[in-house]
Amino acid sequence: MTAGQDTAGAVGTAGPQADGAADAGGAAGAEGVRTGADPALRRDLEAVLMVVDQPVAAYDLARGLGRPLDDVAAALEELAEEYTGQDRGFDLRQVAEGWRFYTRPECAEVVEHFLKEGQEVRLTQAALETLAVVAYRQPVSRGRVSAVRGVNCDGVMRTLVLRGLIEEAGQDPESGAHLYRTTSYFLERLGLLSLDDLPDLAPFLPDDIEGIDETGEHTT
């Protein structure tokens, strides 16, 4: 991290000529990337953004972390500039809904090739269970899939989407949550003509899934 370097520079410039020296040091440090945010805040933001499934607004991040909005907004901008300056394989971008990590465009072809070629690799037990829930309960939201399995399935769902086994199927009219279904590639991989050819596994899944909201809690 470059935050420690800037902190040391600021201490060294204390004195009558501190203003001019600080300006010069800030311009020269880390290839022009600002690194004045609290290191703990930067760390916490990275940890949260690493696990979110959808973009998160700076306001929501500030509220969730108990930090001032201005500090969070500045830290997000700083992290985004730093990742770009270091030519990382990912970007931190701000879109209409908020902030989120994205694969850098230059790496898209490599990622796509890896995921396509990785089809021969066996799916994990978690992926197989998640895929089964989607197959038998489609169209279904991530929240309800997680509720059935009892664990957060966001990461597994993303993997299944990237592998072409499931896809978005519109939004729930009441909650607005994205719904998912299996793809034709899923049928091809299983050697099925249609979903009607799936084994009769539905009776083993919870019957009260319709009473579960998008957070995994039972509705009243």
Side-chain angles (χ1 to χ4, degrees):
M1 304 293 286
T2 56
Q5 297 173 354
D6 281 351
T7 300
V11 173
T13 57
Q17 298 179 341
D19 292 343
D23 290 341
E31 298 182 356
V33 176
R34 292 172 297 153
T35 54
D38 177 6
L41 174 57
R42 288 159 52 92
R43 176 201 63 200
D44 293 345
L45 286 171
E46 288 178 325
V48 171
L49 291 169
M50 189 67 68
V51 299
V52 297
D53 185 60
Q54 297 179 342
V56 184
Y59 172 81
D60 293 327
L61 289 167
R63 183 178 59 179
L65 297 177
R67 296 290 196 122
L69 177 58
D70 289 346
D71 290 353
V72 170
L76 289 167
E77 293 283 357
E78 179 181 304
L79 287 170
E81 292 178 15
E82 180 177 312
Y83 299 145
T84 298
Q86 295 177 350
D87 197 26
R88 298 287 189 91
F90 57 89
D91 283 324
L92 177 58
R93 301 181 206 160
Q94 182 179 23
V95 294
E97 297 83 4
W99 293 83
R100 184 183 177 188
F101 285 121
Y102 293 87
T103 300
R104 190 172 295 280
E106 298 92 315
C107 301
E109 184 176 348
V110 173
V111 173
E112 182 178 0
H113 176 75
F114 175 80
L115 293 172
K116 295 288 186 182
E117 294 300 318
Q119 294 295 343
E120 298 303 321
V121 179
R122 288 179 176 270
L123 291 175
T124 63
Q125 184 66 30
L128 289 172
E129 293 175 2
T130 301
L131 186 57
V133 175
V134 175
Y136 285 98
R137 291 295 187 177
Q138 60 186 304
V140 64
S141 68
R142 288 189 304 268
R144 290 184 175 178
V145 173
S146 296
V148 171
R149 293 202 55 234
V151 295
N152 187 296
C153 298
D154 290 348
V156 179
M157 292 285 284
R158 285 196 296 270
T159 297
L160 294 174
V161 169
L162 289 171
R163 290 195 171 191
L165 295 169
I166 65 175
E167 63 186 359
E168 288 193 12
Q171 293 181 301
D172 185 290
E174 296 183 359
S175 67
H178 291 291
L179 300 177
Y180 293 84
R181 65 188 175 197
T182 54
T183 63
S184 58
Y185 181 72
F186 165 80
L187 295 175
E188 176 187 335
R189 295 294 294 178
L190 268 66
L192 305 175
L193 292 177
S194 71
L195 294 175
D196 294 334
D197 295 328
L198 284 170
D200 188 17
L201 183 63
F204 296 97
L205 297 177
D207 293 327
D208 60 346
I209 188 173
E210 299 304 325
I212 299 175
D213 65 19
E214 303 311 320
T215 66
E217 299 294 333
H218 287 272
T219 57
T220 56

